[in-house]
Amino acid sequence: MHRNDLLSKLCNYREHWPDEATMTDRLISFVERHTDCFERSLSVGHITGSAWLVNKAGTHVLLTHHRKLNAWLQLGGHADGNTDILDAALQEAREESGLPDLEPISTDIFDIDIHLIPARKNEPEHDHHDIRFAFRCTGSEEYAVSNESHDLAWGTINHLDEYTTDESMLRMARKWLNR
């Protein structure tokens, strides 16, 4: 029962984005198979929550130059048992940016992605089944860089390719610009 909200959101996402049905079905299957999908301890992979965090004007997205992955990405991280993945994504965005005044643009999933995390120290390679929500910064846009990042930057959404060639990042930019 703790997975029903996420499964419902994923089914709605599949209806709205039928061209992403293969990945959505894969993610749904993962959630259905693993009662502990929200736990980092699930070694094959786990659910993560991410934030496509835009400025007040909606023209820029806050990016992290991720310390472990050494790439410009959206904010986000492990659910760590939180089955309310929207809340988990919001918590991660606040922790990684230092911005307290954030609000969800919608409670619907903005994007999904499944990506392989390389083995590191005692952790085997595993998949992050990433559930992404769109948020807007409603207060000060002065961020603080956390220890999880090399840096943060407000990237211009229609020029996101200046920061990354990652297809899932560029897909989110296209979704945002075409909304």
Side-chain angles (χ1 to χ4, degrees):
M1 290 195 8
H2 66 285
R3 296 171 288 162
N4 288 347
D5 182 56
L6 178 56
L7 289 168
S8 176
K9 286 182 183 316
L10 287 168
C11 288
N12 289 339
Y13 183 85
R14 181 176 49 202
E15 288 177 23
H16 190 73
W17 300 102
D19 55 323
E20 297 179 37
T22 300
M23 188 180 320
T24 308
D25 289 344
R26 195 172 144 206
L27 216 154
I28 288 170
S29 176
F30 173 79
V31 172
E32 289 175 338
R33 280 191 331 267
H34 298 284
T35 59
D36 55 347
C37 63
F38 297 100
E39 300 294 339
R40 189 186 308 216
S41 59
L42 181 59
S43 63
V44 297
H46 29 263
I47 297 295
T48 55
S50 287
W52 176 260
L53 175 57
V54 298
N55 63 346
K56 289 178 201 147
T59 57
H60 292 72
V61 61
L62 190 58
L63 303 172
T64 174
H65 190 239
H66 196 278
R67 186 170 297 280
K68 291 180 183 174
L69 299 176
N70 199 31
W72 287 100
L73 303 168
Q74 76 285 345
L75 304 171
H78 295 96
D80 287 330
N82 188 349
T83 61
D84 181 346
I85 201 65
L86 174 65
D87 180 64
L90 179 59
Q91 286 179 32
E92 287 291 328
R94 285 181 174 144
E95 288 172 10
E96 292 183 6
S97 70
L99 298 171
D101 301 319
L102 309 178
E103 67 180 22
I105 292 170
S106 170
T107 59
D108 294 331
I109 295 171
F110 177 65
D111 190 66
I112 62 169
D113 193 58
I114 302 171
H115 48 271
L116 186 66
I117 301 299
R120 188 173 177 277
K121 296 184 181 176
N122 295 332
E123 190 175 88
E125 76 175 16
H126 60 280
D127 285 326
H128 276 184
H129 297 78
D130 201 24
I131 312 297
R132 300 161 169 185
F133 294 91
F135 295 91
R136 183 178 308 276
C137 180
T138 59
S140 170
E141 295 174 3
E142 294 296 319
Y143 55 77
V145 179
S146 78
N147 63 357
E148 295 184 36
S149 303
H150 289 299
D151 199 5
L152 296 177
W154 286 106
T156 306
I157 296 171
N158 60 358
H159 295 290
L160 199 60
D161 58 350
E162 294 174 6
Y163 284 89
T164 183
T165 58
D166 180 82
E167 175 51 35
S168 76
M169 293 294 296
L170 299 176
R171 181 180 63 234
M172 287 189 288
R174 288 190 301 271
K175 283 180 179 179
W176 181 257
L177 293 171
N178 293 324
R179 74 191 187 294

